[in-house]
Amino acid sequence: MNLTTTIKKNFLSIVFITFVLTELISKIQFFSIGEYFIGTKIIKSFFFLLMVFELIKSSKLFTIGISILSLFFFVGQFSINSGLNYQILITFSKHLFLITLIIHLVKISIHNNLKVLHNIYEVIILLNSLLIIISYLFEINLFETYKGSRFGYSGFFINSTTASYATILTIGYFLNKYKKTIFKQPIFYILLICSAIIGTKVIYLTLFIVLVICSYMFFKKRTFVVFTAIVLILAFSSLYYTFFVNTIFNDIRKEHSLLSSLTSFRYNLLINDTLPYIKENWNFKNYLFGGISNFKLRSEFGFVDVFLLLGFFGGMLFNYLIYLPIRNFKTNNFLTYTLAYLIFIFFLSGNFTNYATAHIYLVIFLTTFNIKNKLPKITIFNTTIDNLSMQETLQKVKQAISNKAQLHHVVVNAGKVVAMQDDKELRESVNSCDIINADGQAVVWASKLLGKPLKERVAGIDLMENLVKLAAQNNYKIYLLGAKEDVVSKVVDLYKNKYSKNLIAGYRNGYFSKEEEQTIAQDIANSGAQLLFVAISSPKKENFLYQQRTTLKSLNFIMGVGGSFDVIAGKTKRAPVWMQKSGLEWFYRFMQEPKRMWKRYLIGNTKFIFLTIKQFFKN
């Protein structure tokens, strides 16, 4: 693996570590000389531009989206008297950074190694938590949350805002990653202790909400939830009384209002600064596209300030561009509750979009959710074929194994497509699979003729060889089922010699009765294999895998490979590469065994041609 590939695979980890280090340096410098480290902005800008250029090259939707959003922004800014200034431009770039980072996450989560990111993240969070506790015990002023007399220690978090968002999102990260085993994780208890020491209202509110959500997630008994909620409300009320009555917030509450105290004067900013500015300076264009001359006029309510900067159209587009990638994550009750709560917090607390480091924590939180298995597909010949290249297919398999999910794979060629038209059981078996690749070049040509072009042929034997190599590199185990005993045993010996004896979890020949299928499937499931390759002829292969799918649910990848074992063992020869690329591999196979193959290829291929012509005129 070269350096460029390594960087791409661990890009989020590099960004996260860099942001943490620059923030720590900046905090130390601010404590020493009263100025933030200028390199922080430069480094963040570098990563932002790097992601923008990468996404512009690979995503037309991203390019169009940020282009339109930028147009709205500039129209709004040039519609106010003061025009554009550096501070507002930086603010807008931070909004783009959030969009860019989330879209980039979805793009790389499909195939990148997030385990490394999670390990690094948890180590850094643990170190910072210990730093917070030590700072509290020994009153180390450098790591305080606030300057002045207000209580709180935040470790290397540069300010109270970043500390609040990072802590909230980290709590969500641990809850969603570990779910019901969360109470067995010592770091979670350390994090809860630190949450109390950091000393921000929003974290205390989060702890309250989290306890209620946990009650629902873990117990799912309404009476218990109601009882828990009542107890927690009383506890929270006591905390509120202690926190507000004996602190500076009590003075704010008496002099201004409870709302001013709860929102830390944000309500006052909205009423006294933001709304009067809008009334005095905005025209019709600004209501559509936004515009602000002085960043200090914002209300610090996040939802309001997005529309202040971008107007109605820009604000709606900004939220839509955030929603687009997030909708790719598989939802569950916890995700729904957490995202709803985060939206509420970002609306209440504000400033989230103005802190790029906080965006990193949001993205890491989102990595604990799986991406929906949205594969590009085309529908022809009563089946849906995944429009994937060989490399994309390999990445999908690798992701399934990493996530301990299961992918059931099948390939289709001209002969199988013809058989599926009349064989209902075979059609159901094939269409139930998670990935369907086009093995035959004839299917690829037909897809182009029918106006639904497939990227390329993904030959089953090539995919198998690539996956066996992948298994050997990652210490996965494989099971080989099919062919004659001497053939499959020879394949086993070849792989053991080429890779490792530990690669093979088990093997068996492909000659067995219907009554033996359940026992064989159970043996495979008990073997400890992650990948299963089945070299049995169609439709027996597809029907066996479909009928035994429940028994084989522990495996991560299941694939039918036809006559591949015979080729690998050297019993039959594969066509030269030029014939493979020219779509003549079937003819080479026919020449090897004309008596056995003439009906399959000559009659089958003729039927496939007529089927293609029929669908062409039907379309």
Side-chain angles (χ1 to χ4, degrees):
M1 185 184 297
N2 58 39
L3 181 61
T4 303
T5 304
T6 303
I7 291 172
K8 285 184 176 180
K9 285 178 118 11
N10 297 285
F11 182 77
L12 275 180
S13 302
I14 295 169
V15 174
F16 175 62
I17 292 171
T18 306
F19 274 41
V20 168
L21 291 176
T22 54
E23 295 256 321
L24 178 58
I25 293 169
S26 193
K27 183 167 186 174
I28 293 171
Q29 183 169 308
F30 182 78
F31 182 85
S32 304
I33 62 175
E35 293 182 3
Y36 288 118
F37 175 50
I38 191 171
T40 301
K41 291 183 178 180
I42 297 172
I43 291 169
K44 290 177 181 178
S45 299
F46 168 76
F47 282 116
F48 168 57
L49 292 174
L50 201 63
M51 286 188 290
V52 168
F53 290 140
E54 180 67 26
L55 290 175
I56 285 175
K57 288 192 298 182
S58 60
S59 174
K60 289 183 180 179
L61 182 62
F62 171 80
T63 305
I64 294 170
I66 63 168
S67 297
I68 295 173
L69 191 65
S70 300
L71 177 63
F72 288 168
F73 168 72
F74 286 114
V75 168
Q77 284 304 127
F78 287 123
S79 297
I80 57 175
N81 293 330
S82 60
L84 190 65
N85 63 64
Y86 171 76
Q87 190 180 49
I88 300 303
L89 190 61
I90 292 297
T91 301
F92 175 63
S93 69
K94 290 177 179 177
H95 285 68
L96 291 185
F97 181 80
L98 177 58
I99 296 171
T100 304
L101 196 61
I102 295 177
I103 293 176
H104 187 77
L105 163 68
V106 174
K107 181 178 173 63
I108 68 171
S109 287
I110 294 173
H111 52 75
N112 278 21
N113 187 2
L114 295 177
K115 185 177 180 180
V116 173
L117 172 65
H118 290 172
N119 290 339
I120 292 172
Y121 182 73
E122 292 183 22
V123 168
I124 290 179
I125 288 299
L126 175 61
L127 291 175
N128 190 54
S129 298
L130 295 174
L131 180 60
I132 289 172
I133 294 172
I134 293 170
S135 300
Y136 168 68
L137 293 175
F138 296 96
E139 298 183 355
I140 304 174
N141 297 334
L142 171 60
F143 299 111
E144 285 184 333
T145 307
Y146 306 97
K147 278 195 168 294
S149 59
R150 186 172 170 183
F151 170 76
Y153 292 87
S154 59
F156 55 62
F157 295 131
I158 196 166
N159 51 47
S160 61
T161 305
T162 302
S164 296
Y165 288 128
T167 305
I168 292 169
L169 291 163
T170 301
I171 291 171
Y173 164 90
F174 282 112
L175 279 171
N176 197 45
K177 181 177 180 181
Y178 294 107
K179 296 181 174 63
K180 289 190 177 183
T181 64
I182 186 65
F183 298 117
K184 297 179 182 178
Q185 308 299 325
I187 191 173
F188 183 67
Y189 295 100
I190 295 172
L191 184 63
L192 293 182
I193 294 170
C194 291
S195 299
I197 297 175
I198 289 173
T200 67
K201 301 187 299 297
V202 71
I203 295 178
Y204 297 150
L205 177 61
T206 298
L207 294 176
F208 167 71
I209 298 296
V210 161
L211 288 172
V212 174
I213 291 175
C214 283
S215 300
Y216 176 80
M217 281 178 60
F218 300 156
F219 301 100
K220 294 187 177 179
K221 295 179 180 179
R222 292 191 177 186
T223 52
F224 184 87
V225 173
V226 171
F227 173 76
T228 304
I230 293 171
V231 172
L232 290 173
I233 288 171
L234 292 173
F236 185 70
S237 299
S238 301
L239 181 63
Y240 164 76
Y241 178 82
T242 303
F243 189 72
F244 283 103
V245 170
N246 298 313
T247 65
I248 189 173
F249 293 101
N250 185 46
D251 298 329
I252 299 173
R253 181 179 60 82
K254 288 179 179 178
E255 186 176 345
H256 298 277
S257 66
L258 177 62
L259 197 55
S260 297
S261 175
L262 286 172
T263 61
S264 299
F265 280 118
R266 289 181 175 86
Y267 175 74
N268 298 61
L269 291 173
L270 176 66
I271 299 301
N272 299 329
D273 296 335
T274 308
L275 293 181
Y277 173 81
I278 291 173
K279 189 174 181 179
E280 293 172 10
N281 295 277
W282 274 22
N283 55 38
F284 180 70
K285 282 185 182 178
N286 296 118
Y287 282 100
L288 297 180
F289 306 116
I292 182 172
S293 59
N294 187 347
F295 188 60
K296 293 180 180 179
L297 292 169
R298 73 191 191 283
S299 66
E300 296 187 19
F301 285 114
F303 186 76
V304 174
D305 292 341
V306 166
F307 286 93
L308 179 67
L309 182 69
L310 299 169
F312 176 78
F313 285 159
M316 294 300 291
L317 179 59
F318 172 80
N319 287 299
Y320 182 67
L321 291 174
I322 295 292
Y323 163 74
L324 270 179
I326 289 180
R327 71 175 181 171
N328 289 299
F329 292 94
K330 292 182 179 179
T331 57
N332 53 39
N333 285 335
F334 177 72
L335 175 61
T336 304
Y337 297 144
T338 305
L339 287 181
Y341 173 67
L342 290 175
I343 290 169
F344 166 72
I345 289 299
F346 298 161
F347 169 77
L348 180 67
S349 299
N351 282 330
F352 177 76
T353 52
N354 298 314
Y355 287 91
T357 304
H359 304 166
I360 297 290
Y361 288 92
L362 172 62
V363 164
I364 294 176
F365 162 69
L366 291 174
T367 61
T368 59
F369 299 99
N370 292 326
I371 301 288
K372 290 178 182 176
N373 188 25
K374 284 191 172 183
L375 304 178
K377 299 174 182 287
I378 66 163
T379 301
I380 53 175
F381 306 126
N382 291 328
T383 189
T384 302
I385 303 174
D386 294 292
N387 194 7
L388 297 172
S389 65
M390 174 67 75
Q391 198 60 36
E392 289 169 335
T393 305
L394 288 169
Q395 295 290 6
K396 291 293 179 185
V397 178
K398 189 174 181 180
Q399 183 195 22
I401 298 173
S402 298
N403 293 339
K404 300 189 184 304
Q406 184 185 76
L407 285 181
H408 193 145
H409 177 277
V410 71
V411 294
V412 292
N413 52 29
K416 192 176 294 183
V417 165
V418 170
M420 286 169 59
Q421 306 311 305
D422 300 320
D423 190 332
K424 184 179 178 182
E425 186 178 8
L426 175 61
R427 186 164 64 247
E428 288 180 356
S429 299
V430 170
N431 289 335
S432 69
C433 292
D434 301 297
I435 297 182
I436 304 173
N437 282 138
D439 186 358
Q441 188 63 43
V443 177
V444 176
W445 286 340
S447 71
K448 294 177 180 179
L449 181 65
L450 296 172
K452 301 176 180 178
L454 289 163
K455 292 179 181 179
E456 65 181 34
R457 175 195 180 200
V458 180
I461 187 171
D462 293 332
L463 179 61
M464 176 186 168
E465 290 280 62
N466 282 319
L467 288 171
V468 171
K469 182 178 179 181
L470 177 71
Q473 291 171 344
N474 292 276
N475 295 320
Y476 304 146
K477 292 184 180 295
I478 67 172
Y479 194 104
L480 304 176
L481 173 65
K484 294 181 179 180
E485 182 65 27
D486 62 318
V487 172
V488 66
S489 60
K490 186 171 183 180
V491 174
V492 168
D493 291 338
L494 286 170
Y495 283 151
K496 283 183 177 179
N497 292 330
K498 185 176 181 180
Y499 298 112
S500 166
K501 292 182 179 180
N502 297 324
L503 174 66
I504 308 297
Y507 69 95
R508 192 196 188 285
N509 67 61
Y511 294 86
F512 49 84
S513 65
K514 186 75 175 176
E515 291 73 24
E516 294 177 281
E517 289 185 356
Q518 177 64 40
T519 303
I520 292 170
Q522 191 61 58
D523 289 342
I524 295 169
N526 295 336
S527 70
Q530 283 86 28
L531 295 89
L532 168 64
F533 300 103
V534 183
I536 303 173
S537 59
S538 296
K540 182 180 178 181
K541 167 176 74 262
E542 288 80 11
N543 294 337
F544 165 74
L545 293 174
Y546 180 66
Q547 291 161 7
Q548 300 299 328
R549 62 190 183 280
T550 303
T551 306
L552 297 170
K553 65 182 180 180
S554 62
L555 282 87
N556 301 124
F557 182 76
I558 298 172
M559 176 186 181
V561 294
S564 298
F565 290 3
D566 289 334
V567 176
I568 295 168
K571 184 178 180 181
T572 58
K573 291 184 178 181
R574 195 176 179 194
V577 175
W578 71 267
M579 294 189 79
Q580 296 176 34
K581 292 183 178 179
S582 302
L584 295 174
E585 191 167 11
W586 68 272
F587 183 72
Y588 188 86
R589 187 78 180 91
F590 166 70
M591 293 299 292
Q592 287 183 305
E593 297 181 89
K595 289 184 179 181
R596 191 167 76 89
M597 295 295 179
W598 75 269
K599 186 175 181 179
R600 172 180 172 182
Y601 286 128
L602 296 184
I603 295 178
N605 286 2
T606 302
K607 286 183 177 180
F608 180 78
I609 291 170
F610 279 111
L611 184 65
T612 304
I613 294 171
K614 181 181 177 181
Q615 186 156 341
F616 176 80
F617 286 106
K618 186 178 179 180
N619 292 343

